[in-house]
Amino acid sequence: MATGSLGTGVLAELWESASDGRVQCTACAHRCTLDPGQRGICDVRINVDGELRLLTYGKVSDSPLGRPGTVDPIEKKPLYHYKPGTRVLSFGGASCNFACQFCQNHRIAFAKPEDLELRDVSPTAAANSATDQHCESVAWTYNEPTIYAEYVRDGAQAAQNEGLGTVIVTNGYFTEEFADLLAPVLDAANVDIKGFRERPHVKYMGSRLAPTLRGAEYLVDRDVHVELTYLTIPDLNDDPEEIRDFAEWAFGLDPDIPVHFTRFHPDYEMQDRPSTPIQTLERAHDIATDVGLEYVYVGNVPGARYSDTVCPDCGKTWISRRGFEASIETDLSEPCQCGREKDVVL
């Protein structure tokens, strides 16, 4: 449906009253303070008469034909240690709270909700569509799920009620209030760490570094399964010292946390750089494993050397991969032949 019928949306939960009819949004780390009639940086949360309302509750960027959602392999998120080899039903919406110059989903991430054809999909309809399409999980991805937190929470609850897993793919730029709202119904998350220096975050993404790191920490502290992606961009965040700083931070979160160094491809407003050399990605892998991280992957590269999941102790292959296709090589519910428990959520 066309979104000329956005209306005033639904009442949000993550906000606080401020003076003179203003409100402060508490979903994302921008914590926008809004005058009546004003929208947040995300363009989907708006102050209506002293209340914060969400314009895109139950509205997704999706074809109006067929069952709602897009069926993906879970490895595409990327999640390698959560329900490997299964299908996940993916949903995305409109706009974002970042302004990444290299965004691969800029068609929806830089659009106001009224400028897109959005489809009405209730939380229950999303869960039912996943079951009908033989998916084991539902994911909120493609654009930043933080900005429509209340819809994600209700969709995740509906999915769990049907025995499905729940996933977000996020830039991590959310608050502790968001983590408290989502963590009870969230099984897994991939947090995209877009470099480990403050200045490029401000210049190229319109954000700061520290809140993203705190977002990942909030989820780990709440026992959500977390994997990290580091989009490795030539001459922006690929310096070996920066990679090492990132790896040391990730090791401090959990030495077993899966880390994905993924290849950059020129897109949107950043087409002046080449695709990431494979050697750069393999160097990042080596730095991270040298720091002590036990599951480090190279992604977005067909036939990459470091795409299989192997036992950190004995080297036995647990899961082999070709692109997004995963082959389970051993019983993941049993310890490895060397006695190590397999760090995979089934």
Side-chain angles (χ1 to χ4, degrees):
M1 59 170 287
T3 58
S5 58
L6 284 174
T8 58
V10 302
L11 184 64
E13 292 186 36
L14 293 176
W15 63 282
E16 299 173 348
S17 294
S19 60
D20 300 323
R22 303 164 78 204
V23 300
Q24 183 177 55
C25 178
T26 59
C28 106
H30 288 299
R31 292 188 180 269
C32 296
T33 299
L34 308 174
D35 292 322
Q38 185 180 10
R39 297 190 192 189
I41 287 174
C42 65
D43 264 324
V44 303
R45 300 171 80 83
I46 184 172
N47 181 346
V48 178
D49 298 329
E51 294 181 338
L52 186 69
R53 302 187 73 86
L54 172 60
L55 295 174
T56 54
Y57 185 97
K59 296 181 183 297
V60 302
S61 179
D62 190 30
S63 168
L65 304 176
R67 296 186 178 96
T70 300
V71 177
D72 287 322
I74 194 71
E75 287 76 17
K76 191 175 180 179
K77 297 301 106 185
L79 288 169
Y80 281 11
H81 288 236
Y82 177 75
K83 295 183 179 294
T86 64
R87 292 152 57 100
V88 57
L89 191 66
S90 298
F91 292 96
S95 197
C96 189
N97 58 351
F98 271 23
C100 299
Q101 294 183 16
F102 45 83
C103 181
Q104 295 182 356
N105 290 321
H106 53 87
R107 186 188 67 83
I108 63 171
F110 284 82
K112 295 179 183 295
E114 57 266 35
D115 294 336
L116 293 177
E117 296 285 332
L118 298 178
R119 180 176 184 176
D120 288 323
V121 180
S122 71
T124 299
N128 290 343
S129 183
T131 299
D132 290 344
Q133 298 185 74
H134 308 291
C135 296
E136 292 195 15
S137 307
V138 181
W140 291 269
T141 176
Y142 304 138
N143 75 319
E144 179 50 47
T146 301
I147 65 176
Y148 47 103
E150 294 83 0
Y151 175 53
V152 175
R153 187 274 312 275
D154 293 348
Q157 184 63 73
Q160 287 192 342
N161 289 345
E162 294 298 317
L164 301 168
T166 57
V167 171
I168 61 172
V169 179
T170 174
N171 59 32
Y173 212 73
F174 49 75
T175 63
E176 191 161 15
E177 293 94 323
F178 172 91
D180 287 339
L181 184 75
L182 264 293
V185 292
L186 184 61
D187 294 312
N190 186 288
V191 181
D192 193 359
I193 309 296
K194 303 173 190 290
F196 215 74
R197 296 290 184 263
E198 179 74 5
R199 186 175 178 184
H201 267 74
V202 174
K203 181 175 180 180
Y204 296 105
M205 298 159 237
S207 64
R208 294 172 291 123
L209 173 61
T212 286
L213 304 184
R214 286 198 298 268
E217 292 162 1
Y218 291 150
L219 296 183
V220 169
D221 289 345
R222 287 160 177 76
D223 295 324
V224 175
H225 173 79
V226 174
E227 303 192 20
L228 304 175
T229 292
Y230 190 102
L231 180 65
T232 314
I233 304 175
D235 298 322
L236 181 64
N237 64 6
D238 62 344
D239 179 78
E241 183 177 345
E242 183 173 357
I243 297 291
R244 183 169 293 275
D245 289 344
F246 160 73
E248 290 175 347
W249 167 79
F251 181 86
L253 274 182
D254 183 353
D256 294 338
I257 196 166
V259 170
H260 306 259
F261 289 103
T262 59
R263 192 180 202 183
F264 164 84
H265 295 288
D267 210 329
Y268 192 45
E269 295 180 346
M270 191 174 284
Q271 301 194 34
D272 59 338
R273 300 165 194 263
S275 297
T276 316
I278 294 175
Q279 297 90 334
T280 299
L281 297 168
E282 292 180 344
R283 181 184 66 193
H285 169 278
D286 294 345
I287 291 170
T289 54
D290 181 65
V291 166
L293 288 166
E294 297 196 312
Y295 302 106
V296 184
Y297 301 100
V298 167
N300 238 4
V301 180
R305 287 178 58 196
Y306 302 113
S307 59
D308 295 346
T309 300
V310 302
C311 177
D313 293 341
C314 71
K316 179 177 176 59
T317 299
W318 297 341
I319 308 167
S320 60
R321 297 182 180 87
R322 182 180 296 273
F324 297 129
E325 181 180 341
S327 298
I328 312 302
E329 305 293 345
T330 183
D331 185 348
L332 296 175
S333 65
E334 296 292 332
C336 186
Q337 61 188 13
C338 67
R340 183 188 177 102
E341 294 292 331
K342 300 187 177 81
D343 300 301
V344 179
V345 178
L346 301 176

